[in-house]
Amino acid sequence: MIHRLDSPELGESAVVAFFAVAVNAGLTYTTFVIFCNMLIFDASTLILVTRIDLLDPLLGTITMPTAIPFEVHRECCGAKKTLDALMIQEAVDDSRIQVVTVKDRKTVIRMQADFNLGTGEAEAIALALQSKARIVGVDDKNGINACKLLRLPFTTAAGVLILCRQKNLIGRNEAADKLDLLAKYGRYKSSIVEDVRTRLEEYP
């Protein structure tokens, strides 16, 4: 399945990334995405990307705005003093990540009811619909299902890792180490981890 989102602002430098995520039956769902408009993160993906130390490389290489809803900001930072919380808060303070209010609360409630989502996931998807964003960073299974049904292109923390390797922001050995951390923190299925490992090895 291919999602292509054309934009007059995109030229030959458009970022194309491969993303693989698990579906219910344990199969692989493959998506090719051309980044444009806005990237919106759910808490789970943002925390995972930060924990494997890819937040700064990612924000430094993409040109589109990156945003999170208030609930995701609260879940990621709130009263936490962990390293990932401090790093995310620093990105917010530096305006590299925008914290945006979700105005359509009815959509948030509907997302929660229809897809059994937590508030953060529901706000992230509602914000994507509200802002006409075309990419959602989500690792939550129900959130992924919601994106597929709503035809919202999405990525996962594993997708971000592949993108960073593809753009040569990290080397092969570093990418392998980060995948091991991602497998530990993200609890990915072994089949998904091995698929991502194969993809990472495609780049010299």
Side-chain angles (χ1 to χ4, degrees):
M1 182 175 184
I2 297 176
H3 294 290
R4 183 184 177 91
L5 302 171
D6 295 313
S7 167
E9 297 179 356
L10 293 175
E12 294 180 354
S13 61
V15 179
V16 183
F18 169 92
F19 305 123
V21 296
V23 294
N24 293 340
L27 302 176
T28 298
Y29 175 84
T30 303
T31 307
F32 289 88
V33 177
I34 291 186
F35 276 136
C36 61
N37 297 330
M38 180 179 285
L39 168 62
I40 294 173
F41 272 117
D42 169 40
S44 59
T45 305
L46 183 55
I47 291 171
L48 285 172
V49 168
T50 305
R51 283 186 176 179
I52 63 173
D53 202 22
L54 286 181
L55 181 61
D56 286 344
L58 175 68
L59 296 179
T61 195
I62 60 175
T63 58
M64 61 180 171
T66 302
I68 55 176
F70 273 97
E71 179 61 22
V72 168
H73 180 241
R74 187 193 67 77
E75 291 177 4
C76 290
C77 302
K80 295 179 181 179
K81 298 300 180 183
T82 58
L83 180 58
D84 55 90
L86 294 173
M87 292 175 67
I88 293 168
Q89 186 60 53
E90 181 180 21
V92 170
D93 292 341
D94 293 343
S95 300
R96 289 178 294 153
I97 297 178
Q98 305 169 28
V99 181
V100 182
T101 300
V102 180
K103 299 177 181 178
D104 188 355
R105 303 310 302 178
K106 289 183 179 179
T107 297
V108 174
I109 294 171
R110 188 171 69 250
M111 292 297 102
Q112 289 179 290
D114 290 350
F115 300 106
N116 193 27
L117 300 177
T119 305
E121 290 87 3
E123 283 199 4
I125 292 174
L127 180 58
L129 296 171
Q130 169 186 302
S131 61
K132 297 183 179 179
R134 290 297 179 267
I135 303 170
V136 181
V138 57
D139 275 76
D140 176 78
K141 179 180 178 181
N142 290 345
I144 288 171
N145 289 336
C147 286
K148 288 192 287 187
L149 289 172
L150 294 169
R151 298 181 181 235
L152 282 174
F154 60 91
T155 184
T156 63
V160 171
L161 174 59
I162 293 171
L163 171 64
C164 289
R165 180 70 191 101
Q166 179 193 38
K167 299 297 290 181
N168 204 30
L169 301 176
I170 54 176
R172 175 177 289 184
N173 292 338
E174 187 179 1
D177 291 341
K178 291 184 184 302
L179 178 58
D180 290 339
L181 288 175
L182 192 59
K184 174 183 176 181
Y185 294 133
R187 299 178 182 176
Y188 284 94
K189 291 182 178 180
S190 58
S191 58
I192 298 301
V193 172
E194 292 311 309
D195 182 65
V196 173
R197 196 180 307 278
T198 298
R199 299 297 175 181
L200 290 174
E201 291 174 355
E202 293 177 358
Y203 304 102

PDB file of all heavy atoms in Angstrom, residues 70-81 85-86 88-89:
ATOM      1  N   PHE A  70      -1.805  18.954  23.710  1.00  0.00           N
ATOM      2  CA  PHE A  70      -1.498  19.208  25.112  1.00  0.00           C
ATOM      3  C   PHE A  70      -1.426  17.928  25.942  1.00  0.00           C
ATOM      4  O   PHE A  70      -0.584  17.793  26.824  1.00  0.00           O
ATOM      5  CB  PHE A  70      -2.531  20.171  25.713  1.00  0.00           C
ATOM      6  CG  PHE A  70      -2.177  21.610  25.509  1.00  0.00           C
ATOM      7  CD1 PHE A  70      -2.718  22.326  24.457  1.00  0.00           C
ATOM      8  CD2 PHE A  70      -1.281  22.252  26.348  1.00  0.00           C
ATOM      9  CE1 PHE A  70      -2.385  23.662  24.251  1.00  0.00           C
ATOM     10  CE2 PHE A  70      -0.933  23.581  26.155  1.00  0.00           C
ATOM     11  CZ  PHE A  70      -1.487  24.293  25.096  1.00  0.00           C
ATOM     12  N   GLU A  71      -2.320  16.985  25.673  1.00  0.00           N
ATOM     13  CA  GLU A  71      -2.317  15.763  26.466  1.00  0.00           C
ATOM     14  C   GLU A  71      -1.051  14.959  26.242  1.00  0.00           C
ATOM     15  O   GLU A  71      -0.502  14.368  27.176  1.00  0.00           O
ATOM     16  CB  GLU A  71      -3.544  14.913  26.137  1.00  0.00           C
ATOM     17  CG  GLU A  71      -3.630  13.586  26.891  1.00  0.00           C
ATOM     18  CD  GLU A  71      -3.704  13.739  28.408  1.00  0.00           C
ATOM     19  OE1 GLU A  71      -4.103  14.831  28.886  1.00  0.00           O
ATOM     20  OE2 GLU A  71      -3.385  12.767  29.113  1.00  0.00           O
ATOM     21  N   VAL A  72      -0.563  14.929  25.015  1.00  0.00           N
ATOM     22  CA  VAL A  72       0.693  14.224  24.731  1.00  0.00           C
ATOM     23  C   VAL A  72       1.847  14.920  25.443  1.00  0.00           C
ATOM     24  O   VAL A  72       2.735  14.260  26.003  1.00  0.00           O
ATOM     25  CB  VAL A  72       0.944  14.142  23.211  1.00  0.00           C
ATOM     26  CG1 VAL A  72       2.369  13.687  22.916  1.00  0.00           C
ATOM     27  CG2 VAL A  72      -0.056  13.185  22.562  1.00  0.00           C
ATOM     28  N   HIS A  73       1.829  16.237  25.454  1.00  0.00           N
ATOM     29  CA  HIS A  73       2.866  16.983  26.184  1.00  0.00           C
ATOM     30  C   HIS A  73       2.823  16.637  27.667  1.00  0.00           C
ATOM     31  O   HIS A  73       3.865  16.423  28.300  1.00  0.00           O
ATOM     32  CB  HIS A  73       2.666  18.489  25.973  1.00  0.00           C
ATOM     33  CG  HIS A  73       3.688  19.320  26.677  1.00  0.00           C
ATOM     34  ND1 HIS A  73       3.359  20.236  27.652  1.00  0.00           N
ATOM     35  CD2 HIS A  73       5.039  19.366  26.569  1.00  0.00           C
ATOM     36  CE1 HIS A  73       4.455  20.818  28.103  1.00  0.00           C
ATOM     37  NE2 HIS A  73       5.489  20.306  27.465  1.00  0.00           N
ATOM     38  N   ARG A  74       1.627  16.547  28.217  1.00  0.00           N
ATOM     39  CA  ARG A  74       1.488  16.211  29.636  1.00  0.00           C
ATOM     40  C   ARG A  74       1.997  14.799  29.901  1.00  0.00           C
ATOM     41  O   ARG A  74       2.707  14.561  30.888  1.00  0.00           O
ATOM     42  CB  ARG A  74       0.025  16.318  30.064  1.00  0.00           C
ATOM     43  CG  ARG A  74      -0.195  16.156  31.569  1.00  0.00           C
ATOM     44  CD  ARG A  74      -1.657  15.942  31.900  1.00  0.00           C
ATOM     45  NE  ARG A  74      -2.141  14.669  31.384  1.00  0.00           N
ATOM     46  CZ  ARG A  74      -1.882  13.495  31.949  1.00  0.00           C
ATOM     47  NH1 ARG A  74      -1.134  13.426  33.052  1.00  0.00           N
ATOM     48  NH2 ARG A  74      -2.368  12.381  31.436  1.00  0.00           N
ATOM     49  N   GLU A  75       1.657  13.856  29.018  1.00  0.00           N
ATOM     50  CA  GLU A  75       2.082  12.473  29.201  1.00  0.00           C
ATOM     51  C   GLU A  75       3.605  12.333  29.083  1.00  0.00           C
ATOM     52  O   GLU A  75       4.217  11.524  29.780  1.00  0.00           O
ATOM     53  CB  GLU A  75       1.397  11.576  28.168  1.00  0.00           C
ATOM     54  CG  GLU A  75      -0.106  11.412  28.389  1.00  0.00           C
ATOM     55  CD  GLU A  75      -0.767  10.574  27.303  1.00  0.00           C
ATOM     56  OE1 GLU A  75      -0.038  10.060  26.434  1.00  0.00           O
ATOM     57  OE2 GLU A  75      -2.007  10.457  27.327  1.00  0.00           O
ATOM     58  N   CYS A  76       4.204  13.088  28.183  1.00  0.00           N
ATOM     59  CA  CYS A  76       5.642  12.989  27.959  1.00  0.00           C
ATOM     60  C   CYS A  76       6.452  13.703  29.030  1.00  0.00           C
ATOM     61  O   CYS A  76       7.529  13.236  29.420  1.00  0.00           O
ATOM     62  CB  CYS A  76       6.008  13.579  26.595  1.00  0.00           C
ATOM     63  SG  CYS A  76       5.449  12.619  25.191  1.00  0.00           S
ATOM     64  N   CYS A  77       5.954  14.833  29.472  1.00  0.00           N
ATOM     65  CA  CYS A  77       6.712  15.664  30.405  1.00  0.00           C
ATOM     66  C   CYS A  77       6.024  15.721  31.760  1.00  0.00           C
ATOM     67  O   CYS A  77       6.424  15.035  32.687  1.00  0.00           O
ATOM     68  CB  CYS A  77       6.897  17.068  29.824  1.00  0.00           C
ATOM     69  SG  CYS A  77       7.743  17.044  28.211  1.00  0.00           S
ATOM     70  N   GLY A  78       4.948  16.499  31.871  1.00  0.00           N
ATOM     71  CA  GLY A  78       4.233  16.577  33.128  1.00  0.00           C
ATOM     72  C   GLY A  78       5.186  16.847  34.281  1.00  0.00           C
ATOM     73  O   GLY A  78       5.994  17.760  34.242  1.00  0.00           O
ATOM     74  N   ALA A  79       5.104  16.024  35.302  1.00  0.00           N
ATOM     75  CA  ALA A  79       5.977  16.192  36.471  1.00  0.00           C
ATOM     76  C   ALA A  79       7.221  15.314  36.379  1.00  0.00           C
ATOM     77  O   ALA A  79       8.001  15.221  37.319  1.00  0.00           O
ATOM     78  CB  ALA A  79       5.197  15.876  37.743  1.00  0.00           C
ATOM     79  N   LYS A  80       7.403  14.653  35.239  1.00  0.00           N
ATOM     80  CA  LYS A  80       8.537  13.734  35.093  1.00  0.00           C
ATOM     81  C   LYS A  80       9.865  14.486  35.046  1.00  0.00           C
ATOM     82  O   LYS A  80       9.958  15.582  34.496  1.00  0.00           O
ATOM     83  CB  LYS A  80       8.389  12.916  33.805  1.00  0.00           C
ATOM     84  CG  LYS A  80       7.190  11.976  33.783  1.00  0.00           C
ATOM     85  CD  LYS A  80       7.134  11.245  32.453  1.00  0.00           C
ATOM     86  CE  LYS A  80       5.931  10.316  32.373  1.00  0.00           C
ATOM     87  NZ  LYS A  80       5.854   9.629  31.067  1.00  0.00           N
ATOM     88  N   LYS A  81      10.894  13.874  35.599  1.00  0.00           N
ATOM     89  CA  LYS A  81      12.238  14.429  35.551  1.00  0.00           C
ATOM     90  C   LYS A  81      13.198  13.470  34.855  1.00  0.00           C
ATOM     91  O   LYS A  81      14.408  13.548  35.035  1.00  0.00           O
ATOM     92  CB  LYS A  81      12.739  14.734  36.967  1.00  0.00           C
ATOM     93  CG  LYS A  81      11.907  15.765  37.710  1.00  0.00           C
ATOM     94  CD  LYS A  81      11.881  17.111  36.984  1.00  0.00           C
ATOM     95  CE  LYS A  81      11.048  18.124  37.744  1.00  0.00           C
ATOM     96  NZ  LYS A  81      10.957  19.423  37.024  1.00  0.00           N
ATOM     97  N   ALA A  85      12.009  13.055  29.190  1.00  0.00           N
ATOM     98  CA  ALA A  85      11.068  14.144  29.462  1.00  0.00           C
ATOM     99  C   ALA A  85      11.753  15.497  29.344  1.00  0.00           C
ATOM    100  O   ALA A  85      11.207  16.450  28.766  1.00  0.00           O
ATOM    101  CB  ALA A  85      10.460  13.989  30.851  1.00  0.00           C
ATOM    102  N   LEU A  86      12.970  15.593  29.880  1.00  0.00           N
ATOM    103  CA  LEU A  86      13.714  16.848  29.822  1.00  0.00           C
ATOM    104  C   LEU A  86      14.097  17.196  28.385  1.00  0.00           C
ATOM    105  O   LEU A  86      14.056  18.372  27.985  1.00  0.00           O
ATOM    106  CB  LEU A  86      14.963  16.754  30.691  1.00  0.00           C
ATOM    107  CG  LEU A  86      14.714  16.617  32.199  1.00  0.00           C
ATOM    108  CD1 LEU A  86      16.027  16.370  32.934  1.00  0.00           C
ATOM    109  CD2 LEU A  86      14.015  17.853  32.755  1.00  0.00           C
ATOM    110  N   ILE A  88      12.470  16.261  25.615  1.00  0.00           N
ATOM    111  CA  ILE A  88      11.260  16.666  24.897  1.00  0.00           C
ATOM    112  C   ILE A  88      10.859  18.088  25.295  1.00  0.00           C
ATOM    113  O   ILE A  88      10.503  18.913  24.446  1.00  0.00           O
ATOM    114  CB  ILE A  88      10.116  15.677  25.171  1.00  0.00           C
ATOM    115  CG1 ILE A  88      10.436  14.315  24.547  1.00  0.00           C
ATOM    116  CG2 ILE A  88       8.786  16.208  24.622  1.00  0.00           C
ATOM    117  CD1 ILE A  88       9.530  13.192  24.991  1.00  0.00           C
ATOM    118  N   GLN A  89      10.942  18.377  26.597  1.00  0.00           N
ATOM    119  CA  GLN A  89      10.598  19.720  27.056  1.00  0.00           C
ATOM    120  C   GLN A  89      11.542  20.772  26.460  1.00  0.00           C
ATOM    121  O   GLN A  89      11.107  21.875  26.119  1.00  0.00           O
ATOM    122  CB  GLN A  89      10.643  19.783  28.579  1.00  0.00           C
ATOM    123  CG  GLN A  89      10.165  21.110  29.160  1.00  0.00           C
ATOM    124  CD  GLN A  89       8.732  21.423  28.775  1.00  0.00           C
ATOM    125  OE1 GLN A  89       7.836  20.606  28.980  1.00  0.00           O
ATOM    126  NE2 GLN A  89       8.507  22.599  28.192  1.00  0.00           N
TER     127      GLN A  89
END
